Amino acid sequence: MRLANKVAIISGGARGIGRAAVELFAEEGATVYSLDLSHEDEFAQERIHSVDMDVTQLEQWNALVERVVGEQGTIDILFNNAGAVGSYEGIETIELEDWHRIIDLNLNGVFYGTRAVLPVMKKAHAGAMVHTSSMWGYVGASGVSAYTASKAAVRSLSKNVALTYAQFNIRSNSIHPGIIGTPMVMAQDESLTQDLVDKTPLGRLGTPREVAHAALFLASDDASYITGTELVIDGGSTAQ
Ligand SMILES: NC(=O)c1ccc[n+]([C@@H]2O[C@H](COP(=O)([O-])OP(=O)(O)OC[C@H]3O[C@@H](n4cnc5c(N)ncnc54)[C@H](O)[C@@H]3O)[C@@H](O)[C@H]2O)c1
């Protein structure tokens, strides 16, 4: 088991990529705290704790970290994954309220989680962080202004963490999924999804589990010399 005796926090764990990671990390031996606004479906594994919280609230992160350290003694892994597209609008047409809401979730949520967990990892002189960006945080895309900006910022923030905290033996990497069959994607306009699948060399949607495996690799000791980089899981889309 690749995460035996590890303690992991995963945001956006109730569904989609986050849920697949919560289940996979627990299968690999980790004790996992799944964070989400709400958890409708129970997890089967005993080592999974569901925590209802909002990742855009720093005080909720601080309370969570206090709880996890109280219960488990430390935090080995942070997978900052909660996020949403939120709007496909470009710079001129996006509602300001949408812009701020998307930046708050996709970027500030990652910043808050990282800030809350860092002191624990520094004290332990060990830790691994994985942050979910997107292929649209790796290469440009037209429209989708707030999402692309937030996800590119996550990529950069991850490198900042890697470079600032390497001295504390804390690793930080970003993952960049392409088009993945999650509730978020299933809820969007079908023609938009089909268009992206048509442009994907492997010719299909990725699965949440395929993305979770990439996060598992980066979070595990298999990636012990990997920090400050990114892993693209996009069926070849950005190789073109
Ligand atoms: N599905 C894709 O094609 C795709 C592609 C690239 C990147 N991503 C990224 O992957 C991550 C997961 O996406 P997904 O497709 O699994 O989405 P999803 O909507 O299926 O799951 C996201 C989860 O995050 C939770 N969440 C949203 N706001 C929250 C908040 N304020 N506090 C706590 N939890 C919150 C949601 O409730 C949901 O359960 C996101 O960051 C997304 O941007 C997804």
Side-chain angles (χ1 to χ4, degrees), residues 77-106:
I77 295 162
L78 172 63
F79 181 19
N80 269 318
N81 167 76
V85 174
S87 164
Y88 277 87
E89 295 300 319
I91 289 170
E92 289 177 284
T93 51
I94 189 168
E95 298 288 345
L96 284 186
E97 194 186 310
D98 287 341
W99 174 274
H100 289 298
R101 183 174 47 80
I102 294 161
I103 298 292
D104 203 29
L105 172 58
N106 293 353

Side-chain angles (χ1 to χ4, degrees), residues 4 9 19 30 44-45 63 70 74 89 97-98 120 125 127 137 144 150 158 170 184 188 206 226-227:
I9 293 174
R19 188 175 188 93
Q45 292 110 314
T74 194
E89 295 300 319
E97 194 186 310
D98 287 341
V120 180
H125 204 77
V144 217
S150 66
S158 173
I170 297 168
M184 179 177 91
Q188 75 184 14
I226 299 177
T227 194

Side-chain angles (χ1 to χ4, degrees), residues 11-18 35-38 53-56 81-85 105-106 132-135 147 151 176-185:
S11 69
R15 60 180 216 183
I17 291 166
L35 321 182
D36 212 301
L37 293 171
S38 67
M53 64 168 261
D54 183 344
V55 297
T56 67
N81 167 76
V85 174
L105 172 58
N106 293 353
T132 305
S133 174
S134 165
M135 69 175 171
Y147 187 72
K151 291 300 188 179
H176 300 260
I179 184 84
I180 312 299
T182 67
M184 179 177 91
V185 162

Side-chain angles (χ1 to χ4, degrees), residues 184-205:
M184 179 177 91
V185 162
M186 296 314 180
Q188 75 184 14
D189 183 348
E190 218 175 290
S191 63
L192 206 87
T193 303
Q194 192 54 50
D195 186 46
L196 285 165
V197 170
D198 291 344
K199 289 177 183 148
T200 302
L202 286 182
R204 63 172 175 84
L205 289 168

